[in-house]
């Protein structure tokens, strides 16, 4: 895509009154905006995608690694390429409700995810965290999940800062396979 930096706004038909802004269309994001795959309520049977994913194949569910109490899965709407989440199998909303075994396995999956992402993509750093509850920014507050977002020096360019979009160079299925293949062997 070529972005014009002229002083005259490019005429883009069908976008309303010319305003000097170019448009980068990302219609696939509308599913996220409209709440596709979001639960209709707080219970597992209310359409929780994190409860549905374990019954899918790894490829269909974008699962990278399965543990006993938790699993690692690619984020369907990633902040950066390789954005993973460590998710307990049990439908639980609050971090304080996790068992010791679930907490330990989420921590171990996070460490393994960092190792795999460094091997697969040369990640320089990470943002790791839990958005606890709707007020805390959780997109799916009913089922706890910890984000593992790989970062690279200079990975914030004009696209997210000015355009409020991320450019992801690889299909999620290909990213899932690359990370799964780089996942460290369990002792």
């Amino acid at each position: 895509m070529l972005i014009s930096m002229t002083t005259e706004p490019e005429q883009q038909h069908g976008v309303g009154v010319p305003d000097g802004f170019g448009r980068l269309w990302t219609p696939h994001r509308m599913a996220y905006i409209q709440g596709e795959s979001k639960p209709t309520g707080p219970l597992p049977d209310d359409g929780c995608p994190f409860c549905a994913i374990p019954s899918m194949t790894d490829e269909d569910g974008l699962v990278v690694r399965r543990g006993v109490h938790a699993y690692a899965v690619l984020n369907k709407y990633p902040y950066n390429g390789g954005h993973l989440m460590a998710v307990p199998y049990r439908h639980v909303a609050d971090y304080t409700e996790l068992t010791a075994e679930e907490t330990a396995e989420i921590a171990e999956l996070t460490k393994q995810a960092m190792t795999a992402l460094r091997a697969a993509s040369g990640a320089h750093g990470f943002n790791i965290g839990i958005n606890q509850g709707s007020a805390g920014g959780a997109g799916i507050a009913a089922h706890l999940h910890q984000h593992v977002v790989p970062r690279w020096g200079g990975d914030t360019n004009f696209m997210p800062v000015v355009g409020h979009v991320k450019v992801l160079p690889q299909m999620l299925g290909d990213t899932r396979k690359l990370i799964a293949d780089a996942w460290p062997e369990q002792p």
Side-chain angles (χ1 to χ4, degrees):
M1 180 179 132
L2 185 60
I3 298 176
S4 173
M5 299 304 236
T6 64
T7 56
E8 294 296 317
E10 177 186 340
Q11 179 63 39
Q12 293 183 327
H13 299 288
V15 299
V17 178
D19 57 10
F21 288 97
R23 304 297 192 275
L24 179 61
W25 302 106
T26 56
H28 63 280
R29 296 279 302 160
M30 189 53 71
Y32 177 74
I33 292 166
Q34 292 177 334
E36 181 180 296
S37 299
K38 285 196 177 182
T40 57
L43 302 175
D45 292 339
D46 290 336
C48 177
F50 296 132
C51 288
I53 288 170
S55 66
M56 299 177 186
T57 66
D58 289 353
E59 292 76 15
D60 289 344
L62 298 174
V63 175
V64 178
R65 177 65 68 174
R66 294 175 190 262
V68 175
H69 304 285
Y71 63 96
V73 62
L74 277 180
N75 190 321
K76 195 172 179 180
Y77 305 101
Y79 296 131
N80 267 351
H83 177 174
L84 295 167
M85 296 173 291
V87 184
Y89 289 113
R90 191 168 61 96
H91 188 83
V92 57
D94 197 276
Y95 187 76
T96 62
E97 297 172 15
L98 291 175
T99 66
E101 294 81 12
E102 289 167 332
T103 303
E105 191 160 56
I106 287 170
E108 186 60 32
L109 286 170
T110 300
K111 288 171 51 177
Q112 293 172 357
M114 293 172 66
T115 300
L117 286 164
R118 283 185 179 124
S121 66
H124 298 155
F126 298 89
N127 293 123
I128 297 171
I130 297 171
N131 297 327
Q132 181 66 68
S134 295
I140 299 175
H143 197 132
L144 185 79
H145 51 285
Q146 178 163 281
H147 296 268
V148 180
V149 183
R151 300 297 305 269
W152 296 268
D155 69 2
T156 300
N157 57 32
F158 75 94
M159 293 301 285
V161 174
V162 176
H164 301 284
V165 295
K166 282 283 188 176
V167 178
L168 301 170
Q170 191 173 49
M171 298 301 291
L172 289 175
D174 296 336
T175 302
R176 188 213 69 79
K177 182 170 180 358
L178 185 70
I179 297 167
D181 289 348
W183 204 270
E185 291 300 319
Q186 309 227 347

